Amino acid sequence: MTAALHTSNLSSLPLLARGKVRDNYAVGNDRILMVASDRLSAFDVIMGEPIPGKGEILTRMALFWFARLGHVCPNHLTGEAPESVVTPAEVPQVQGRSMLVRRLKPIMVEAVVRGYLAGSGWKEYQESQSVCGVKLPAGLKNASKLPEPIFTPAAKATSGHDENVSYERVVEMVGAELAAKIRDTSIRLYKEAADFALTKGLIIADTKFEFGLDEKGEMVLMDEVLTPDSSRYWPVEGYQEAFARGENPPSFDKQFVRDWLESVRIDGHPWDKTPPAPRLPREVIEKTAAKYREALQRLTA
């Protein structure tokens, strides 16, 4: 792994945007260079300390899944080397952590698929026995496997938190035909990925996909896909015991950091989840990096 990259600084290309993790640069009018930094966000706040190697792991996992799921839906990869569009001096900033992708018109829907009840879905279920308007059976517990994967979309926010919405709201936003295509494609992508991950001893509890439209109006899978940043990964061997106790199963995603942040006290009070974030201790940084590495190793072994 190369040195930790908190922020890229490419002068040869115009910067389009810095997201929570990725820095996006324009390559002409039709392509984008996406550079995955080692930044980590939790509760929509970017931590002050990078997780070494994280951007490279995210990129390798996304490329793995794009290749494996290409028969389900076209994706935004151009197949061109990211190193080919920057200066020789800038190659170390992009090598192993970048994707050169097609520029698309984003669909402002986060396509979330849940196969298990966890996180905000579990909280919502406790209040209403449903998630995003999808009614669920009574008696489910935290981390219960759902009878079938469910589509629980969110409206993408330009700033702040994305908002969970019903499927009917997605129909209002994008039309019935495109809404159905997003839902059906997302569930198929999730099912194929989850079935494969199980053969590697990994449960994908939930994930989110993002789509865009190309110049012909075709729906294209974009952004990242099935990384520990966008998905909840649980080891099969730790799941059953945690489920029996109603706890969050051990995970290979940033839930470990979230749990640590929930335990932090500042002047005797819990952190209010607004910037600045508490400083991550070295052991939390190292353990998080190890979890991301293990997820990649298991998946690609």
Side-chain angles (χ1 to χ4, degrees), residues 265-277:
R265 294 294 177 269
I266 300 167
D267 297 328
H269 301 285
W271 175 51
D272 62 4
K273 297 174 185 169
T274 61

Side-chain angles (χ1 to χ4, degrees), residues 88-104:
E90 293 170 337
V91 165
Q93 291 190 61
V94 304
Q95 202 159 32
R97 61 168 71 246
S98 303
M99 296 186 286
L100 188 54
V101 304
R102 291 190 279 158
R103 199 163 184 167
L104 304 166

